[in-house]
């Protein structure tokens, strides 16, 4: 016979089994059923249970703090429906459906299960995901306007972390209740709670704890002629636990004719655990005027959660569904999603607290709303978002992946933002095309983004009004893969304060960003247009720097990159001087097997490419920065560090009517980095400068333009870039303007920025060479296709060097200027005839090159090194100042003469400078070397002529009169490549004068020790002297001496060297 004690034990066991199987929560398994008789007035004053089904009392009152458990049928999904003329829930009393919905792993929105955690149940939105990747949150379901669904259970755990198990620790969902009194009254002063409950945890026995997902909230649907009370109605999701996901909120709908309700409503998602659950939906309708309100309120959950779904039955994309709300309120991170393309949403009053986002895959019409958007909006691919003509996003965001309609003017304030993606467009246009009939204003800390990176097509954004950025606002534009990059159009463009405009190139096609301004553009002091590092990344690009063992080489662009320590080559030059559109290339990385294998992508990134076309005045006093970035260093498992090469500068192409301002334009290379290694300190190479071109009708610009190579390393600096300035002096041609070769003035400038290459290489003639900027044009095909260039002016400053790189190319320059630090290298033909008589830069002529000088030329403080063909200077050649030098090498010549023969029709003056005649490195000269001046030669004021004999037939120097004034000198050097040697002959057609204090010397310039016709024999202690006019003196320990040789009457032989010493002690 059961005693009271045994009954208590049985009751505890019953509850324990229920909790173990179905999840924790207020599961009152043995409460008495509520007695509700249809057609009668019923008062419930003690705890009882209402099972799923329909109840029809004339009046139902719940009082005396009674807790009425609302149950659901989890087999059929059925809920509780109460039809009554009057319903009263007194203060302190409650309808409690908490955890009375679907148990774990069940329900239409059940949370998935994973080895150690379960996802939260879904309902009004998705449940929160668990930490296990497979344990995703449950899906959204139910009806926003007519909610009847019960909440779903959270996921449990299954797996074999310690042993095989299949635990059902997910929390249960909430129940559902409908209270219908369409002609009567409903007063809720107590609580209606249809909430999900949290999952539970358990130890798996191997120092691991498993966590179930939490259940989702259920549903509440109330319809009344009079709705009143100050209680609480909640369909909240269960809070997450540990690694489990939180449950989503449920759904609530309130229909009334009149309302004095002052209570609280909640459909928040659960929070905590691995991820918050989505909020649910609260719908209210006034039956008198049919005004409707949709409320999505996640009650300030600190972490970002998933959105509520706007759904209807049947939940299918195949059947169009239209939602129209008089007012929508979204707050406290309560996001909302319209999920299907065929569905639509309309409201004329949308408000929020700037923490929420309305996302649409269907058609959402907000055109009737106020200008200020206090809710962020996202239109997904396939969706349509219609906005007011004028819209302000103040601390909210607009994201466009689909279609955008009606909006003309966009203002972004505070931390507001607008993001236009390549999959989207304005209505009626192809993907990637946006046209707005008015303006864009970006201010405060707001941002505007153009981002086609996920697409392969075009990207054009047009504002037919003004574009203005102010304060610390930022505009960022990524280049499109197709259509030649991204194109940005506007009527006028203004940047003030410290606002920024960032451009980033497309790395697949190498495209950049173009900005077209119909009228005027202004960039104020402090503003920055930046593409620094926005080109190719490390180890990428057409001029990529090769990898190195210790220090990699820099990327090339306007010139070659600097070579790095341990690298054998460097990044090549490419791009177009006149139409620069190429991205900068990345520096090389590091490869090494010492101290642990290293294969690190440490190269700096290249600069981006920007084109700006302005129809009126471009007033630029800010900064345009398309620089490459510095390489990074890596330290392996030992004490040494290795470094990546610097990225090369990108491109800037400006085309404007009037060019003015005091700003900075730079496309310089990124610096290299020093390294440390076993043998010695070294470094990576710097990136080369990029390319800049500026076209204008008139200019008062007084700012700075730089395309210098990157420095900063113990190895080579990067090569120079190019700066091309072109005065169109003609009417402006909008958007399609390239450049007009018939216009009046073009200016090529190379500014090395004062960075002299710190590691030179030296040619066979002993001339130190740098890595210059290359003059290139598209298409290159330089080896087979002739091209001609004409520059009104070339300026080389601060070690700015430039190269004409192909033998079939020719270049004519009208004027040159510089600071004597730059070098013009020519492999083709360079004509400086119109440039006047003084060279402001050095010139290096390669063997295939031709250099054309003016008839009268002064090489003053610079050098001219000739391995190729020299033309001009036929009236007078002057070499002046202490650093003025002319090198005539054996593989060069003057125009029309054989190789190694130089014929000048005029005079020579060497004043402080040096004329070097040096055929020593050339061998194919059967006639020898001849240097002829038809006029007189004058050497004065410490001037020098140095003449070395060629290997075959020696060297002949001839002139009219020859005068050597006090302090000046001539140095003669013999050629000892053959057994008999070759000498120098000076032929003077007129008078030869050598003043007091002058020297003509060949001391020590004959055969070296132990060589020559009369070389002295070696000796044990003292060797013998060389012979020539007579025998040399015999040395101690030597048995013979150097023999006599030569011609008494025509002496042309070189002197012989003395003997050396041999000894065995």
């Amino acid at each position: 016979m059961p005693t009271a004690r045994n009954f208590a034990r049985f009751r505890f066991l019953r509850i324990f089994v229920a909790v173990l199987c179905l999840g924790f929560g207020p599961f009152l398994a043995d409460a008495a059923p509520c007695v509700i008789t249809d057609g009668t007035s019923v008062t419930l004053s003690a705890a009882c249970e209402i099972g799923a089904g329909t109840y029809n009392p004339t009046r139902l009152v719940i009082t005396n703090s009674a807790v009425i458990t609302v149950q659901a049928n989890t087999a059929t999904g059925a809920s509780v429906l109460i039809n009554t003329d009057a319903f009263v829930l007194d203060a302190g009393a409650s309808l409690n459906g908490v955890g009375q919905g679907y148990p774990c792993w069940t329900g239409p929105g059940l949370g998935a299960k994973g080895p150690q955690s379960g996802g939260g149940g879904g309902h009004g939105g998705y449940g929160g995901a668990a930490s296990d990747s497979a344990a995703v949150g449950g899906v959204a379901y139910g009806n926003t306007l007519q909610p009847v669904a019960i909440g779903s259970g959270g996921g449990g755990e299954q797996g074999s972390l310690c042993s095989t198990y299949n635990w059902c620790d997910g929390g249960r969902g909430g129940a559902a209740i409908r209270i219908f009194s369409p002609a009567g009254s409903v007063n809720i002063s107590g609580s209606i709670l249809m909430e999900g409950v949290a999952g539970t945890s358990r130890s798996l026995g191997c120092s691991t704890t498993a966590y179930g997902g939490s259940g989702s909230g259920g549903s509440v649907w109330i319809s009344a002629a009079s709705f009143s009370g100050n209680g609480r109605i909640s369909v909240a999701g269960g809070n997450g636990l540990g690694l489990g996901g939180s449950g989503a909120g449920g759904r609530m709908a309130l229909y009334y004719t009149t309302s004095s309700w002052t209570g609280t409503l909640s459909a928040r998602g659960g929070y905590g655990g691995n991820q918050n659950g989505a909020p649910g939906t609260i719908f209210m309708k006034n039956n008198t005027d049919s005004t409707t309100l949709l409320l999505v309120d996640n009650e300030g959950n600190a972490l970002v959660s998933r959105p509520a779904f706007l759904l209807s039955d049947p939940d299918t994309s195949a059947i169009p569904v239209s939602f129209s709300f008089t007012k929508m309120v979204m707050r406290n991170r309560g996001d909302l999603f319209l999920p299907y393309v065929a569905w639509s949403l309309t409201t004329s009053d949308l408000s929020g607290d700037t923490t929420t986002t309305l996302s649409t895959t269907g058609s959402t019409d907000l055109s009737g709303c106020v200008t200020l958007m206090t809710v962020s909006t996202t239109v997904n691919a396939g969706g349509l978002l219609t906005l007011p003509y004028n819209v302000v996003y103040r601390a909210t965001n607009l994201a466009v992946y689909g279609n955008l309609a009606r909006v003309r003017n966009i203002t972004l304030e505070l931390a507001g933002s607008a993001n236009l993606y390549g999959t989207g467009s304005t209505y009626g246009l192809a993907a990637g095309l946006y046209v707005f009939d008015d303006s864009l204003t970006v201010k405060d800390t707001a941002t505007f983004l153009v981002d086609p990176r996920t697409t392969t097509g075009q990207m054009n954004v047009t504002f037919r009004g003004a574009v203005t950025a102010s304060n610390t606002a930022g505009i960022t534009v990524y280049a499109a893969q197709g259509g030649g990059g991204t194109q940005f159009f506007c009527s006028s463009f203004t940047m003030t304060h410290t606002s920024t405009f960032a451009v980033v190139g497309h790395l697949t096609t190498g495209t950049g960003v173009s900005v077209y301004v119909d009228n005027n553009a202004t960039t104020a002091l402090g503003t920055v247009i930046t593409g620094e590092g926005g080109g190719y990344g490390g180890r990428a690009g057409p001029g990529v720097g090769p990898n190195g063992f210790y220090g990699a080489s820099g990327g090339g662009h306007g010139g070659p990159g600097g070579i790095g320590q341990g690298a054998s080559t460097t990044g090549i030059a490419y791009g177009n001087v006149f139409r620069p559109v190429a991205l900068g290339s990345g520096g090389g990385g590091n490869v090494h097997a010492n101290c642990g294998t290293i294969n690190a992508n440490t190269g700096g990134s290249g600069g981006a490419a920007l084109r700006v076309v302005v129809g009126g005045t471009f007033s630029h006093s800010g900064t345009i920065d398309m620089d490459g970035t510095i390489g990074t260093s890596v330290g392996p498992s030992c004490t040494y560090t290795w470094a990546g090469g610097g990225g090369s500068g990108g491109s800037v192409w400006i085309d404007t009517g009037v060019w003015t301002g005091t700003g900075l334009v730079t496309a310089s290379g990124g610096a290299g980095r020093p390294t440390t290694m076993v043998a010695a300190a070294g470094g990576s190479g710097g990136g080369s400068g990029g390319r800049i071109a500026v076209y204008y009708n008139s200019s008062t610009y007084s700012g700075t333009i730089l395309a210098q190579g990157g420095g900063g390393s113990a190895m080579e600096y990067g090569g120079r870039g190019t700066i091309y300035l072109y005065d169109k002096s003609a009417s402006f041609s909008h958007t399609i303007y390239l450049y007009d070769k018939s216009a009046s003035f073009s200016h090529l400038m190379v500014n090395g920025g004062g960075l002299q290459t710190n590691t030179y290489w030296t040619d066979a003639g002993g001339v130190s060479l740098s890595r210059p900027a290359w003059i290139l044009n598209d298409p290159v095909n330089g080896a087979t296709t002739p091209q001609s260039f004409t520059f009104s002016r070339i300026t080389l400053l601060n070690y700015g060097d430039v190269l004409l790189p192909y033998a079939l190319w020719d270049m004519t320059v009208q004027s040159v200027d510089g600071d004597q630090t730059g070098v013009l290298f020519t492999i083709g033909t360079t004509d400086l005839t119109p440039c006047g008589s003084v060279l402001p830069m050095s010139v290096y002529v390669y063997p295939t090159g031709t250099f054309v000088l003016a008839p009268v030329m002064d090489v003053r403080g610079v050098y001219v090194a000739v391995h190729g063909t020299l033309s001009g200077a036929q009236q007078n050649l002057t070499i002046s100042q202490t650093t003025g030098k002319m090198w005539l090498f054996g593989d060069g010549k003057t125009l029309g003469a054989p190789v190694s023969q130089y014929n000048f029709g005029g005079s020579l003056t060497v004043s402080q400078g040096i004329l070097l005649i040096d055929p020593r490195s050339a061998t194919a000269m059967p006639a020898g070397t001849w240097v002829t001046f038809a006029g007189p030669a004058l050497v004065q004021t410490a001037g020098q002529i140095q003449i070395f004999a060629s290997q075959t037939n020696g060297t002949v120097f001839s002139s009219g009169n020859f005068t050597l004034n006090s302090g000046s000198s001539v140095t003669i050097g013999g050629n000892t490549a053959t057994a008999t040697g070759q000498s120098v002959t000076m032929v003077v057609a007129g008078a030869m004068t050598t003043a007091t204090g002058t020297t003509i010397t060949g001391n020590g310039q004959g055969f070296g020790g132990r060589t020559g016709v009369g070389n002295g024999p070696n000796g044990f202690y003292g060797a013998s002297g060389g012979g020539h006019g007579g025998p040399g003196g015999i040395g101690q320990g030597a048995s013979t001496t150097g023999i006599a040789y030569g011609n008494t009457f025509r002496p042309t032989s070189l002197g012989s060297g003395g003997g050396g010493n041999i000894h065995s002690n």
Side-chain angles (χ1 to χ4, degrees):
M1 179 176 177
T3 65
R5 183 175 181 181
N6 289 335
F7 180 79
R9 288 176 177 174
F10 174 75
R11 182 172 180 272
F12 171 79
L13 179 62
R14 182 183 175 196
I15 293 175
F16 175 79
V17 171
V19 169
L20 176 64
C21 296
L22 301 179
F24 284 110
F27 184 80
L28 307 178
D30 58 348
C34 298
V35 178
I36 303 175
T37 304
D38 290 352
T40 64
S41 177
V42 176
T43 298
L44 301 177
S45 57
C48 60
E49 296 177 352
I50 300 179
T54 301
Y55 302 87
N56 302 294
T58 57
R59 176 181 174 87
L60 178 60
V61 178
I62 303 173
T63 187
N64 197 33
S65 299
V67 177
I68 309 301
T69 301
V70 178
Q71 297 179 325
N73 188 327
T74 58
T76 63
S79 58
V80 171
L81 169 60
I82 299 174
N83 295 304
T84 182
D85 294 332
F87 181 91
V88 177
L89 181 64
D90 281 344
S94 65
L95 287 170
N96 192 328
V98 176
Q100 298 298 316
Y102 289 106
C104 82
W105 282 346
T106 56
L110 61 94
K113 50 192 173 183
Q116 193 178 350
S117 56
H123 185 186
Y126 276 65
S131 63
D132 294 320
S133 59
V136 297
V139 301
Y141 61 97
N143 193 314
T144 304
L145 307 183
Q146 298 172 339
V148 296
I150 60 179
S152 292
E157 315 86 52
Q158 65 172 7
S160 57
L161 288 176
C162 307
S163 60
T164 301
Y165 52 88
N166 198 13
W167 299 111
C168 188
D169 290 326
R172 295 182 64 124
I177 188 168
R178 288 171 286 169
I179 302 172
F180 284 0
S181 182
S185 63
V186 173
N187 179 284
I188 307 296
S189 294
S191 300
I192 300 179
L193 305 176
M194 302 292 133
E195 299 174 343
V197 297
T200 59
S201 64
R202 72 174 65 238
S203 174
L204 298 181
C206 54
S207 301
T208 301
T209 302
Y211 298 90
S214 300
S216 62
S219 297
V220 174
W221 181 0
I222 297 174
S223 178
S226 173
F227 179 52
S228 61
N230 59 0
R232 174 177 173 80
I233 305 174
S234 176
V235 289
N239 292 336
L241 179 66
L243 303 178
S246 296
R251 299 191 184 275
M252 186 187 309
L254 306 174
Y255 293 79
Y256 51 85
T257 302
T258 62
S259 173
S260 60
W261 166 261
T262 58
T264 59
L265 308 174
S266 177
R268 66 162 178 83
Y271 55 87
N274 185 70
Q275 187 183 48
N276 288 351
T281 57
I282 299 173
F283 173 71
M284 289 179 275
K285 181 176 181 180
N286 187 317
N287 295 321
T288 301
D289 55 14
S290 296
T291 56
T292 55
L293 168 67
L294 179 68
L295 173 64
V296 184
D297 187 345
N298 212 22
E299 299 182 17
N301 284 348
L303 299 177
V304 175
S305 60
R306 313 181 80 167
F309 274 54
L310 194 59
L311 292 180
S312 178
D313 292 328
D315 175 10
T316 172
S317 61
I319 300 175
V321 175
S322 296
F323 296 94
S324 180
F325 303 106
T326 308
K327 182 178 179 66
M328 292 175 58
V329 177
M330 300 170 60
R331 62 194 181 204
N332 298 316
R333 302 185 182 273
D335 301 336
L336 180 66
F337 178 42
L338 181 69
Y340 300 120
V341 172
W343 289 17
S344 64
L345 166 65
T346 302
T347 185
S348 58
D349 187 350
L350 175 64
S351 64
D353 59 2
T354 74
T355 66
T356 60
T357 300
L358 171 61
S359 178
T360 180
T361 302
S363 175
T364 295
D365 186 354
L366 305 181
S367 61
C369 296
V370 297
T371 296
L372 180 62
M373 300 298 297
T374 55
V375 171
S376 296
T377 53
T378 297
V379 53
N380 300 306
L384 171 64
L385 176 63
T386 304
L387 292 174
Y389 283 145
N390 303 307
V391 67
V392 177
Y393 283 85
R394 181 181 298 163
T396 53
N397 171 259
L398 168 66
V400 184
Y401 299 90
N403 292 300
L404 190 62
R406 201 170 185 266
V407 61
R408 297 179 178 179
N409 181 70
I410 297 175
T411 299
L412 307 174
E413 299 177 351
L414 299 179
S417 62
N419 303 337
L420 308 183
Y421 295 96
T423 56
S425 68
T426 47
Y427 184 71
L429 299 179
L433 302 182
Y434 293 84
V435 177
F436 302 94
D437 286 337
D438 209 327
S439 301
L440 169 68
T441 302
V442 190
K443 57 186 179 180
D444 304 321
T445 59
T447 59
F448 180 77
L449 172 68
V450 178
D451 188 356
R453 286 178 292 175
T454 60
T455 61
T456 58
Q458 60 189 338
M459 188 77 179
N460 294 346
V461 177
T462 299
F463 286 90
R464 291 182 172 140
V467 170
T468 303
S470 61
N471 306 113
T472 59
I475 297 174
T476 300
V477 181
Y478 287 86
Q481 180 173 340
T486 295
Q487 301 182 72
F488 189 93
F489 299 87
C490 59
S491 174
S492 64
F493 182 84
T494 303
M495 294 178 64
T496 62
H497 302 96
T498 57
S499 56
T500 60
F501 187 103
V503 299
V504 182
H506 198 286
L507 307 187
T508 301
T509 54
T511 51
V513 173
S514 298
V515 179
Y516 298 91
V517 184
D518 289 333
N519 299 305
N520 298 326
T522 301
T523 54
L525 177 66
T527 62
V528 178
I529 299 176
T530 180
E532 182 175 351
Y536 292 102
R539 293 184 171 180
V544 58
N547 299 329
F549 285 102
Y550 302 103
S553 294
H557 183 189
I563 197 167
Q565 181 184 19
S568 58
T569 58
T570 190
I572 64 171
Y574 60 97
N576 192 311
V577 170
F578 311 102
R579 298 178 296 276
V581 296
L583 306 179
S585 291
N590 301 106
V591 290
H592 209 280
N594 290 348
C595 311
T597 300
I598 285 239
N599 189 13
N601 184 7
T602 53
S605 297
L610 172 70
R611 184 184 181 192
V612 180
V613 179
V614 181
T617 297
F618 186 7
S619 178
H620 173 60
S621 293
T623 296
I624 297 176
D625 176 5
M626 299 294 133
D627 289 353
T629 61
I630 188 171
T632 57
S633 61
V634 59
S637 57
C638 58
T639 59
Y640 307 109
T641 59
W642 302 322
S648 62
S651 297
V652 180
W653 181 3
I654 296 171
D655 194 332
T656 183
V658 178
W659 172 234
T660 186
T662 58
L664 169 66
V665 181
T666 175
S668 297
R673 281 187 182 271
T675 63
T676 59
M677 51 171 282
V678 175
S684 59
S688 85
R691 299 191 185 274
I692 298 172
V694 181
Y695 294 78
Y696 53 84
N697 286 336
S698 64
S699 174
T700 59
Y701 184 74
S702 59
T704 301
I705 305 177
L706 292 176
Q708 65 195 44
S713 163
M715 292 302 289
E716 284 186 356
Y717 296 157
R720 290 79 169 130
T722 58
I723 300 169
Y724 181 67
L725 306 177
Y726 197 92
D727 184 350
K728 298 178 294 185
S729 294
S731 60
F732 182 78
S733 177
H734 180 53
T735 70
I736 60 171
Y737 186 86
L738 297 177
Y739 71 105
D740 181 4
K741 285 187 176 180
S742 65
S744 64
F745 188 83
S746 61
H747 182 187
L748 175 66
M749 181 167 64
V750 181
N751 189 335
L755 297 177
Q756 184 176 10
T757 302
N758 54 341
T759 300
Y760 293 97
W761 71 99
T762 304
D763 76 348
V767 182
S768 295
L769 304 180
S770 66
R771 299 199 182 276
W774 285 38
I775 297 174
L776 292 178
N777 196 7
D778 294 327
V780 175
N781 298 325
T784 58
T785 305
Q787 290 201 44
S788 297
F789 303 96
T790 299
F791 296 102
S792 300
R793 180 181 175 190
I794 286 183
T795 301
L796 303 184
L797 298 171
N798 300 314
Y799 300 99
D801 304 336
V802 68
L803 168 69
L804 183 68
Y806 295 106
L808 293 179
W809 289 13
D810 64 85
M811 174 173 68
T812 300
V813 183
Q814 303 297 323
S815 67
V816 291
D817 64 342
D819 58 5
Q820 300 184 334
T821 63
V823 183
L824 190 157
F825 296 88
T826 181
I827 295 177
T829 298
T830 297
D831 186 354
L832 301 187
T833 303
C835 297
S837 60
V838 178
L839 279 179
M841 75 275 287
S842 297
V843 177
Y844 186 94
V845 187
Y846 281 87
T848 60
T850 297
F851 180 47
V852 184
L853 291 166
V856 177
M857 179 56 59
D858 186 354
V859 181
R860 183 185 301 169
V862 295
Y863 73 77
V864 175
V866 184
H867 289 278
T869 300
L870 187 65
S871 177
Q874 293 300 308
Q875 296 179 17
N876 182 61
L877 174 61
T878 299
I879 306 169
S880 61
Q881 296 186 356
T882 55
T883 53
K885 298 177 183 177
M886 176 168 276
W887 287 307
L888 304 179
F889 293 104
D891 50 354
K893 65 187 183 71
T894 51
L895 186 66
V899 174
S900 200
Q901 295 193 20
Y902 295 85
N903 299 321
F904 297 91
S907 60
L908 169 68
T909 301
V910 182
S911 180
Q912 293 186 313
I914 299 173
L915 172 63
L916 172 66
I917 301 168
D918 188 358
R920 288 175 294 177
S921 62
T923 58
M925 301 174 295
T929 297
W930 292 75
V931 177
T932 300
F933 288 89
L938 171 64
V939 186
Q940 62 183 6
T941 321
Q944 301 176 51
I945 296 179
Q946 299 174 7
I947 308 173
F948 291 90
S950 64
Q951 181 175 330
T952 306
N953 294 323
T955 295
V956 177
F957 176 90
S958 67
S959 67
N961 295 331
F962 186 90
T963 302
L964 197 61
N965 281 344
S966 178
S968 56
S969 64
V970 176
T971 299
I972 303 298
N975 191 303
T976 61
T978 60
T980 57
Q982 296 292 333
S983 60
V984 172
T985 300
M986 295 184 66
V987 178
V988 180
M992 182 171 183
T993 303
T994 58
T996 302
T998 63
T999 57
I1000 298 177
T1001 179
N1003 288 348
Q1005 296 298 319
F1007 287 104
R1010 294 184 176 181
T1011 61
V1013 177
N1015 67 289
N1018 300 329
F1020 285 100
Y1021 301 104
S1024 296
H1028 184 186
I1034 195 167
Q1036 182 183 16
S1039 58
T1040 60
T1041 188
I1043 65 172
Y1045 63 97
N1047 192 313
T1048 303
F1049 307 103
R1050 295 182 298 278
T1052 60
S1053 299
L1054 306 181
S1056 294
N1061 300 107
I1062 53 175
H1063 206 282
S1064 60
N1065 289 344

